[in-house]
């Protein structure tokens, strides 16, 4: 037997799995492409920023008197090390702007938190580093996006498809909007960065409700993850509509990152042209040909705190999103009747301060003919306009209430693509059972039950230690070639 350890609460849980279990650890089992050495990072940034793709350099776009916004993502992605993409790119861009005559007083740093919680001061300090934080915070030049601040949101109209588009007014009205993004694997549309950054991070919930919903997320082009899904197409259309309404292009600086959030490649310029080019290198790191054949069982563990925050691995609705994210990433190597076995402390900790509405959502899901998570979707606007939940988003560092409905739309994908999901080690197993999950005390008990009921005595097993602790990949079969389409039509073929 193979003795492995999987994330569980704030620690680990042991599992004895058959010797023929395949184990995949991002960046270890299959090495990432080489990252740029630290001593060459500044040179790489200057080369990219001074030679942007599809638009003039900053030296031509900016001048004395130019009002500039630099938009950076929140703490969910991108690393916090001294040489992180955010810290290095912002400093080098500032130097280029100052050389062009821009004055410091005309620069505003904006975190594109979208429907995520507004950053607290320690988070902003960690994201930007002491130097940038001290330079801009005390003069009021670092802010969080507030999608419910009506005075500082601009209605940009509709895309040709009919999706509503809004934009942060500080970005809309400035002379030069700059986006700092990460070309890092993401189950929502393939990669972060590019137009995904502004379409979700600087927008209003009604626009996000045009793509983070079942009719988009439950399509064949969404699972397994695809860079040419309807969702990704909508991101592009919304970002381009923002540019059209502003009358200017975003200047993007995106980095392809490895498992440790180190820079593999840096790409700058016009998102419509830069984004597809950046994906060539990102594909090599992210879409990994690995499996000899498809798996019957996928095994991993869920810590209490990851990705969206403390409590994600214990809040039952967020647990479903996390389970589904693994399905979206790895569906190419899963059999149709695949079983998931996942450890979670599942102790009933909702973290109500961070997700103040999800306990109410969970309770509603237990009643009134709610059979699958998408039955809850009709309540999206009801929750999204709840003034108390909005106040907690605006002033108490909570998620926006519509964010929970995007999580539920995602959460059903796990059930749609598996024959059973076992949660092992739950301290309050009723919460897992309330989401339609099976519960067992140990990995070994769950494995025995799955072999008896679903897979037979000799299942092919994929173990994914650290899958929520490291920057994930999207696994494929060894002979599989990723073309980005899932066999579906290219974006231009979608009917509007």
């Amino acid at each position: 037997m193979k003795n492995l350890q999987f994330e569980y609460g704030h620690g680990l849980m042991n599992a004895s799995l058959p010797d023929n279990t395949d184990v995949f650890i991002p960046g270890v089992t299959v090495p990432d492409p080489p990252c740029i050495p630290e001593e060459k990072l500044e040179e790489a940034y200057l080369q990219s920023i001074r030679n942007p793709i599809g638009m003039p350099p900053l030296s031509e776009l900016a001048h004395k008197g130019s009002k500039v916004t630099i938009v950076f993502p929140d703490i969910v992605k991108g690393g916090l090390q001294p040489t992180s993409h955010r810290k290095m790119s912002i400093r080098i861009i500032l130097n280029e702007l100052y050389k062009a005559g821009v004055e410091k007083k005309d620069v505003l740093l904006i975190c594109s938190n979208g429907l995520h919680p507004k950053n607290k001061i320690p988070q902003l300090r960690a994201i930007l580093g002491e130097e940038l934080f001290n330079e801009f915070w005390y003069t009021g030049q670092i802010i969080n996006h507030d999608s419910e601040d009506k005075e500082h949101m601009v209605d940009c109209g509709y895309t040709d498809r009919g999706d509503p588009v809004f934009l942060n007014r500080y970005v809309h009205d400035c002379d030069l909007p700059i986006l700092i993004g990460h070309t890092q694997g993401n189950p929502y549309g393939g990669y972060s960065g590019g137009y995904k950054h502004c379409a979700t991070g600087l927008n209003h919930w009604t626009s996000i409700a045009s793509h983070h919903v079942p009719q988009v997320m439950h399509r064949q082009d969404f699972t397994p993850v695809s860079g040419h899904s309807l969702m990704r197409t909508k991101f592009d259309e919304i970002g381009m509509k923002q540019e059209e309404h502003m009358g200017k292009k975003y200047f993007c600086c995106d980095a392809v990152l490895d498992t440790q959030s180190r820079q593999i490649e840096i790409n700058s310029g016009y998102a419509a042209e830069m984004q597809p080019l950046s994906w060539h290198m990102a594909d090599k790191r992210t879409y990994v040909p690995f499996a000899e054949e498809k798996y019957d069982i996928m095994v991993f563990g869920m810590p209490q705190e990851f990705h969206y925050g403390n409590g994600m691995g214990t809040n039952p609705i967020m647990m479903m999103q996390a389970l589904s994210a693994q399905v979206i990433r790895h569906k190419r190597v899963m059999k149709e009747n695949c079983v998931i076995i996942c450890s979670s402390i599942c102790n009933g900790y909702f973290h109500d301060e961070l997700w103040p509405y999800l306990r109410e959502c969970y309770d509603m899901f237990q009643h009134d003919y709610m059979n699958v998570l998408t039955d809850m979707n009709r309540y999206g606007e009801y929750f999204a306009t709840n003034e108390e939940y909005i106040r907690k988003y605006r002033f108490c560092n909570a998620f926006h209430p519509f964010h929970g409905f995007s999580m539920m739309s995602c959460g059903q994908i796990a059930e749609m693509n598996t024959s059973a999901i076992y949660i092992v080690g739950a301290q309050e197993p009723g919460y897992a059972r309330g989401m339609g999950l099976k519960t067992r005390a140990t990995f070994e008990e769950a494995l025995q039950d799955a072999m008896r009921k679903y897979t037979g005595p000799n299942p092919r097993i994929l173990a994914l230690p650290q899958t929520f602790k490291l920057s994930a990949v999207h696994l494929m079969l060894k002979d599989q070639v990723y073309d980005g389409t899932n066999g579906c039509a290219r974006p231009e073929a979608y009917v509007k």
Side-chain angles (χ1 to χ4, degrees), residues 47-61:
Q47 173 65 23
S48 174
I49 290 167
R50 290 175 176 174
N51 299 278
I53 299 162
M55 64 190 305
L58 296 174
S59 59
E60 297 178 27
L61 294 171

Side-chain angles (χ1 to χ4, degrees), residues 445-479:
E445 289 179 23
L447 179 59
Q448 289 300 314
D449 196 63
M451 290 191 297
R452 182 170 63 87
K453 293 178 179 175
Y454 303 105
T455 69
N458 298 300
R460 285 193 55 81
I461 302 173
L462 172 64
L464 299 167
Q466 301 183 63
T467 192
F468 292 116
K469 290 292 188 182
L470 299 172
S471 177
V473 299
H474 311 322
L475 291 178
M476 303 192 301
L477 296 169
K478 277 190 174 178
D479 59 354

Side-chain angles (χ1 to χ4, degrees), residues 68-98:
V68 180
T69 55
I70 300 177
V71 182
F72 60 94
D74 67 9
I75 207 163
V76 170
K77 291 187 181 297
L80 299 176
Q81 70 272 26
T83 55
S84 71
H85 175 55
R86 278 176 290 233
K87 291 170 184 168
M88 288 207 66
S89 61
I90 292 173
R91 172 53 63 200
I92 290 170
I93 284 170
L94 284 170
N95 291 341
E96 294 294 291
L97 293 171
Y98 296 156

Side-chain angles (χ1 to χ4, degrees), residues 158-180:
Y158 296 85
T159 66
D160 290 345
R161 194 185 301 276
D163 298 333
V165 181
F166 296 84
L167 180 58
N168 182 293
R169 183 174 294 281
Y170 292 108
V171 178
H172 183 278
D173 292 352
C174 78
D175 299 303
L176 177 56
I178 298 173
L179 296 179
I180 308 298

